[in-house]
Amino acid sequence: MPIPLFNSIASWLLKKRYHQIELFLKYPDEVQNEVLQQLVSFAKDTELGKQCGFESIDSYQDFSDRLPIVNYEGIANTIERTRRGEQNVFWPTQIKWFAKSSGTTNAKSKFIPVSIEALEDCHYKSGKDLLCLYLNNNENSQLFTGKGLRLGGSKELYEDNGTFFGDLSAILIDNMPLWAEYSSTPSNRVSLMGDWESKLGAIIQESVAENVTSMAGVPSWMLVLLNEVIKTTGKNHLFEIWPNLEVYFHGGVSFAPYKEQYKKLLPRKHFRYYEIYNASEGFFGIQDRNNADDLLLMLDYGIFYEFIPMDLYGKENQRAIPIWEVKTGVNYAVVITTNAGLWRYKIGDTVRFTSTSPYRIKVTGRTKHHINAFGEELIIENAEEALRQVCKKTNAQIKDYTAAPIFMNQSEKGGHEWLIEFGKPPEDIDYFTEFLDNALKSLNSDYEAKRYNNMTLGMPKIHVAREHLFYEWLKCNDKLGGQHKIPRLCNNRKYMEELLQMNGITK
């Protein structure tokens, strides 16, 4: 089939889905209620369904009264039974695949169940919707005249007791239809290579000669790849290699610290950046407008959403609310019930709604990734915005960073300690520190109150990390590639102490 004709047909087919998206845009609460009833009805004869009386659940109130909110540790034993071959425990169809995830703050591996329904109705459907929404906003796109450069995880699938586990991206690639591989680069063989550093060279070898029109991957790792592409080819920017490149689909970590570096690699005013919100547990949100900074919450993927206000999170009066009760501007922990058998499961992410008609969100951080040693409630959203402001003011560029509390003792006041690897360091680190402190005060009233007259918190302490420090830390912890990331904010000093020692800084 001629390439222009293929581009036209593929675009037409994907745009047809937009009419279904319009349905949940118009009737979001009804769609979510229907998703809940379908999940409960489908799983009524499972072991969990019988224990909790799914057959007689006919309202959200019944559902929330009968099922507890859980984290991974609360269901690990049940998942392990299924990994050993038991079926119909928490989901009626066979659970054959498990997405292995260590998370960012927990070294213990998690095995997230992935059903055929989750693959088809969530993960693959979302991939089509991402393209659908992009094409709906960009009528003249030539996306399908070339290939998409994909950068997934770096672990192969492993078999155990008749089930398979590995990175979610490996599961998706292993089950992907042939047409998807035809339109992607590198090949499945290279995409599933286990060694990250060998994989980089293989991706470049296969992809540089292709007509790449789009890219998809985690910003931190994609940046490593793209810088290596520039270094290998000797070109000045990516359009000299791939002149028809038009969009980068990104997710997994905040794009804010990397945006200026991408602009240098992609110096074209109308180049598009589209954000997605996905995880091993499911695919949740897609940027649905050009140049937007929020995401449309996708409501018909077989996922029922609940939200816990963060000011109640972990407290005796904690309660989750359905989507029709959320308000804009409030920080919520996300709870999901899915078509892979996760029931009222805390995924560990926090979001804030920017709109309730339609439901659009911003990812604000992780329930575990914050600093609240002194009541300052510093979240990742605050940190990212403050760093963006200070980099703009000082003309600095940040590659990676982490921050942790300095706990009070007889000789030291409490505070925050930052370790930052700069792509371009500021001329005056003291000025950088002062501006960061002021930016955080303006963004977070709790931080500002604790900083008042240096009574509780002292001035932030910033260390400059040597080049490649965070990369080496990830390598030492077997976390190169994929969804692995630096823990940005941590309420203890475990990672900070390890990184400071590697950086040659001792107390």
Side-chain angles (χ1 to χ4, degrees):
M1 182 184 295
I3 288 176
L5 180 59
F6 177 77
N7 184 68
S8 299
I9 292 174
S11 299
W12 177 75
L13 288 171
L14 286 166
K15 286 177 184 177
K16 286 184 70 177
R17 159 67 178 155
Y18 194 75
H19 297 299
Q20 294 173 295
I21 293 174
E22 286 179 321
L23 182 66
F24 77 69
L25 289 176
K26 190 173 182 180
Y27 304 106
D29 302 347
E30 292 85 349
V31 167
Q32 272 287 278
N33 247 320
E34 185 178 355
V35 167
L36 176 60
Q37 291 303 322
Q38 287 173 345
L39 291 170
V40 168
S41 175
F42 193 60
K44 68 180 186 300
D45 293 325
T46 62
E47 182 180 305
L48 180 69
K50 290 176 180 178
Q51 285 175 357
C52 297
F54 279 15
E55 191 166 8
S56 60
I57 291 178
D58 61 4
S59 68
Y60 169 70
Q61 191 61 53
D62 275 352
F63 172 74
S64 61
D65 285 346
R66 296 191 199 185
L67 279 85
I69 295 172
V70 299
N71 56 17
Y72 184 81
E73 287 70 28
I75 57 173
N77 291 338
T78 308
I79 289 175
E80 189 58 30
R81 286 172 54 198
T82 304
R83 285 191 65 224
R84 292 198 299 264
E86 290 187 56
Q87 295 296 333
N88 205 39
V89 179
F90 48 79
W91 191 247
T93 61
Q94 183 183 18
I95 301 290
K96 185 178 177 182
W97 302 283
F98 293 84
K100 184 179 179 183
S101 170
S102 63
T104 313
T105 61
N106 189 349
K108 181 179 177 181
S109 294
K110 299 179 182 179
F111 294 89
I112 305 300
V114 180
S115 66
I116 188 66
E117 290 82 8
L119 277 179
E120 295 295 336
D121 299 332
C122 181
H123 294 291
Y124 290 143
K125 186 177 181 179
S126 62
K128 296 171 189 174
D129 284 357
L130 173 62
L131 298 175
C132 165
L133 290 166
Y134 174 75
L135 292 169
N136 190 64
N137 294 327
N138 299 279
E139 293 286 340
N140 298 319
S141 170
Q142 297 297 304
L143 205 62
F144 294 105
T145 61
K147 293 191 174 185
L149 173 63
R150 62 185 180 192
L151 183 61
S154 52
K155 299 289 184 185
E156 299 178 18
L157 286 176
Y158 300 94
E159 185 174 2
D160 183 28
N161 295 314
T163 61
F164 298 86
F165 66 90
D167 280 4
L168 175 66
S169 56
I171 294 171
L172 297 179
I173 290 169
D174 193 57
N175 290 279
M176 203 169 277
L178 286 175
W179 67 264
E181 182 173 8
Y182 168 77
S183 61
S184 303
T185 185
S187 63
N188 284 3
R189 179 189 65 82
V190 169
S191 292
L192 293 172
M193 286 176 66
D195 181 75
W196 165 255
E197 291 175 333
S198 301
K199 180 178 177 175
L200 274 184
I203 292 174
I204 293 169
Q205 187 175 2
E206 283 197 3
S207 302
V208 164
E210 296 283 2
N211 175 28
V212 173
T213 54
S214 68
M215 305 184 300
V218 176
S220 51
W221 295 113
M222 182 63 81
L223 191 61
V224 173
L225 170 63
L226 298 180
N227 280 327
E228 196 63 27
V229 168
I230 294 293
K231 181 179 175 183
T232 301
T233 60
K235 302 296 185 181
N236 294 310
H237 55 74
L238 292 172
F239 297 125
E240 291 182 359
I241 305 162
W242 300 309
N244 299 314
L245 188 58
E246 61 177 85
V247 61
Y248 170 38
F249 301 110
H250 61 86
V253 299
S254 170
F255 191 53
Y258 306 103
K259 191 165 186 177
E260 292 305 315
Q261 296 175 71
Y262 273 90
K263 284 183 177 179
K264 289 192 173 182
L265 292 171
L266 297 157
R268 190 176 286 171
K269 185 177 180 181
H270 297 296
F271 185 80
R272 300 293 187 198
Y273 298 93
Y274 262 62
E275 186 179 358
I276 60 174
Y277 175 24
N278 66 324
S280 299
E281 295 88 351
F283 201 112
F284 311 126
I286 299 173
Q287 180 182 326
D288 65 318
R289 299 168 296 170
N290 288 340
N291 306 314
D293 62 354
D294 53 9
L295 307 170
L296 180 67
L297 191 63
M298 306 304 287
L299 303 178
D300 65 347
Y301 286 176
I303 298 174
F304 179 76
Y305 294 98
E306 296 175 87
F307 303 90
I308 304 172
M310 281 303 291
D311 60 353
L312 301 179
Y313 186 82
K315 298 179 181 178
E316 284 188 17
N317 59 339
Q318 168 186 292
R319 67 177 284 264
I321 58 174
I323 196 168
W324 49 88
E325 292 184 23
V326 300
K327 297 178 181 178
T328 58
V330 177
N331 208 30
Y332 293 104
V334 182
V335 177
I336 57 172
T337 293
T338 77
N339 51 6
L342 296 174
W343 298 92
R344 305 198 82 196
Y345 177 83
K346 294 185 291 187
I347 62 175
D349 288 346
T350 60
V351 301
R352 176 170 48 82
F353 282 85
T354 59
S355 166
T356 55
S357 182
Y359 290 104
R360 290 196 178 101
I361 58 171
K362 279 187 175 183
V363 182
T364 54
R366 300 276 295 170
T367 54
K368 292 183 179 179
H369 293 187
H370 63 279
I371 302 178
N372 190 33
F374 311 98
E376 67 273 43
E377 289 287 357
L378 183 67
I379 62 174
I380 291 176
E381 185 183 35
N382 302 152
E384 300 283 9
E385 176 58 22
L387 288 171
R388 185 195 69 79
Q389 291 181 18
V390 71
C391 283
K392 184 177 181 180
K393 184 77 173 179
T394 62
N395 201 28
Q397 289 182 1
I398 292 175
K399 285 186 175 180
D400 270 311
Y401 73 91
T402 192
I406 301 169
F407 294 107
M408 296 177 183
N409 56 43
Q410 291 180 344
S411 61
E412 195 168 19
K413 182 174 290 188
H416 291 172
E417 191 164 18
W418 297 71
L419 183 61
I420 301 175
E421 182 179 345
F422 291 97
K424 180 182 178 183
E427 291 184 6
D428 187 335
I429 195 68
D430 291 333
Y431 177 69
F432 183 96
T433 304
E434 183 181 349
F435 196 95
L436 176 62
D437 182 49
N438 288 332
L440 289 171
K441 288 177 185 176
S442 70
L443 292 164
N444 184 319
S445 58
D446 291 319
Y447 178 88
E448 181 182 33
K450 300 303 181 290
R451 280 283 295 118
Y452 181 71
N453 285 340
N454 293 321
M455 289 179 63
T456 305
L457 289 178
M459 179 72 77
K461 181 186 292 185
I462 294 181
H463 304 287
V464 178
R466 61 176 170 79
E467 191 175 10
H468 305 310
L469 171 69
F470 291 99
Y471 184 92
E472 290 171 15
W473 182 85
L474 287 164
K475 185 175 182 179
C476 287
N477 287 277
D478 193 28
K479 290 179 178 289
L480 288 182
Q483 294 284 335
H484 298 304
K485 61 204 79 168
I486 299 297
R488 299 300 197 196
L489 303 179
C490 192
N491 213 32
N492 61 59
R493 293 189 57 80
K494 179 180 183 297
Y495 301 110
M496 179 62 76
E497 296 295 348
E498 291 177 5
L499 285 158
L500 287 175
Q501 187 174 8
M502 288 181 68
N503 202 51
I505 299 172
T506 56
K507 291 263 182 177

